Amino acid sequence: MDWLLLTFLSVIFRSIYGVMTKVLSNKLKVSAYTQATLLSFSGAVIALLLSPLLGGLHFNFSEVSLLTVALVVLGQGLGNITYFASMKNLTNGTAQIAFSSILFFNTFLSLVFLNLHLTALNVFGLILLTLAIFSVVTGKVELHRKGVGLMILSAFLFSVFQLSSAEISKQVGAATYLVIAYLGAAAVVFAIKWRVVIKDLKTAERKTTFGIPILTALPSMGNFLFAYYAYRSAPQPAKVAMLLTSQVVLTVFLSYFLLKEKGHVLRKISAAALVVLSAILIKT
């Protein structure tokens, strides 16, 4: 399957996951850290159950860079923590703008560490993708230094996660990658916020608290899995990471149909068209 198609399938699942978290998070009466821990742990359980269909688990660390494993785990785990911490102080519009800095981090880190080569058309495609992301920003925009700083840090950490995932996709099978990413992230969040997580679990309603993360983990699994195969098949995996940032646009676009957020229709359609055009240019 073409790597660009795999990338867009990953973006679609990530966007569905984004919409689901908007709908379902209000039903959970626990902290964001407990949600992150349970979501990652649920993903790990699903990955273990599906592992026979994905080639099985193989933990031969003599063939794997432990540094890359650490970057995957820490990028995802710490990225979740800083993301949730920043959202306490940011409006939706400010959060979207600050998190879009992940496109810059993906490009910069790829140029420095992954020997990414960009043509003039590729650069123009990145500019169009940036315009598409900014064009769908909604909500009041306010500068909250701590919140914006944490969100930009979160974007950097998720960029590290995406680019290290591109590297580890060449070293381990799909099932092993999913278990590392999910279980490692859950362990990082739990290690830092274990008191909060345990306190929440003692008082939370069991069915909702454990059931919703499992449902939410399913589209997240699709996102990770298709991204993994896109990394493996792309001639320049860093371009996959760049295009994954387009999920900001598609999440807003899906919200129009699924959440009835019907404002700025033409702007959302135009942004979606820009994403498609930018993808063609970045792939060239």
Side-chain angles (χ1 to χ4, degrees), residues 70-196:
L71 289 175
V72 169
V73 169
L74 292 174
Q76 174 79 340
L78 295 179
N80 282 334
I81 290 176
T82 52
Y83 179 84
F84 290 129
S86 69
M87 287 302 293
K88 295 179 180 179
N89 302 306
L90 296 181
T91 62
N92 185 53
T94 307
Q96 289 177 13
I97 291 176
F99 191 76
S100 67
S101 61
I102 190 173
L103 182 58
F104 165 78
F105 289 125
N106 279 345
T107 304
F108 176 76
L109 293 176
S110 298
L111 290 170
V112 174
F113 296 106
L114 299 182
N115 298 317
L116 175 66
H117 300 287
L118 295 175
T119 66
L121 283 177
N122 296 154
V123 173
F124 185 55
L126 288 172
I127 294 173
L128 290 181
L129 183 55
T130 303
L131 290 175
I133 292 172
F134 274 78
S135 71
V136 295
V137 171
T138 57
K140 188 176 181 181
V141 177
E142 296 178 340
L143 177 59
H144 186 286
R145 291 184 179 180
K146 181 179 178 181
V148 169
L150 285 172
M151 183 59 79
I152 292 175
L153 176 59
S154 176
F156 170 76
L157 290 167
F158 280 122
S159 176
V160 170
F161 166 72
Q162 289 180 352
L163 295 177
S164 55
S165 292
E167 285 293 293
I168 203 173
S169 68
K170 305 291 196 297
Q171 303 171 4
V172 300
T176 305
Y177 164 70
L178 292 174
V179 171
I180 290 173
Y182 281 116
L183 196 58
V188 168
V189 178
F190 184 79
I192 297 175
K193 293 290 183 178
W194 63 272
R195 289 186 178 88
V196 175

Side-chain angles (χ1 to χ4, degrees), residues 135-276:
S135 71
V136 295
V137 171
T138 57
K140 188 176 181 181
V141 177
E142 296 178 340
L143 177 59
H144 186 286
R145 291 184 179 180
K146 181 179 178 181
V148 169
L150 285 172
M151 183 59 79
I152 292 175
L153 176 59
S154 176
F156 170 76
L157 290 167
F158 280 122
S159 176
V160 170
F161 166 72
Q162 289 180 352
L163 295 177
S164 55
S165 292
E167 285 293 293
I168 203 173
S169 68
K170 305 291 196 297
Q171 303 171 4
V172 300
T176 305
Y177 164 70
L178 292 174
V179 171
I180 290 173
Y182 281 116
L183 196 58
V188 168
V189 178
F190 184 79
I192 297 175
K193 293 290 183 178
W194 63 272
R195 289 186 178 88
V196 175
V197 175
I198 291 177
K199 180 180 178 181
D200 284 343
L201 294 180
K202 286 180 178 179
T203 58
E205 195 277 317
R206 295 290 186 270
K207 184 177 180 180
T208 301
T209 302
F210 289 98
I212 288 178
I214 291 175
L215 292 176
T216 310
L218 293 174
S220 174
M221 180 74 62
N223 166 38
F224 279 23
L225 192 59
F226 283 113
Y228 168 86
Y229 286 118
Y231 288 136
R232 287 181 66 92
S233 58
Q236 293 192 79
K239 290 186 177 181
V240 175
M242 293 175 187
L243 289 173
L244 289 177
T245 60
S246 64
Q247 62 87 14
V248 174
V249 176
L250 189 54
T251 298
V252 174
F253 197 70
L254 287 178
S255 296
Y256 171 80
F257 297 101
L258 302 179
L259 302 182
K260 308 303 180 182
E261 296 177 358
K262 297 187 179 296
H264 311 291
V265 178
L266 291 179
R267 195 198 316 179
K268 293 173 182 177
I269 294 174
S270 299
L274 280 178
V275 167
V276 174

Side-chain angles (χ1 to χ4, degrees), residues 3-50:
W3 70 268
L4 187 59
L5 177 58
L6 289 167
T7 301
F8 271 109
L9 287 173
S10 176
V11 168
I12 289 170
F13 275 101
R14 176 61 181 83
S15 301
I16 294 172
Y17 162 74
V19 172
M20 285 185 65
T21 56
K22 286 184 178 182
V23 176
L24 299 177
S25 62
N26 291 333
K27 297 183 179 181
L28 294 180
K29 306 303 180 182
V30 296
S31 70
Y33 304 109
T34 303
Q35 292 181 42
T37 302
L38 292 175
L39 173 62
S40 296
F41 183 74
S42 298
V45 171
I46 296 172
L48 287 170
L49 294 175
L50 294 178

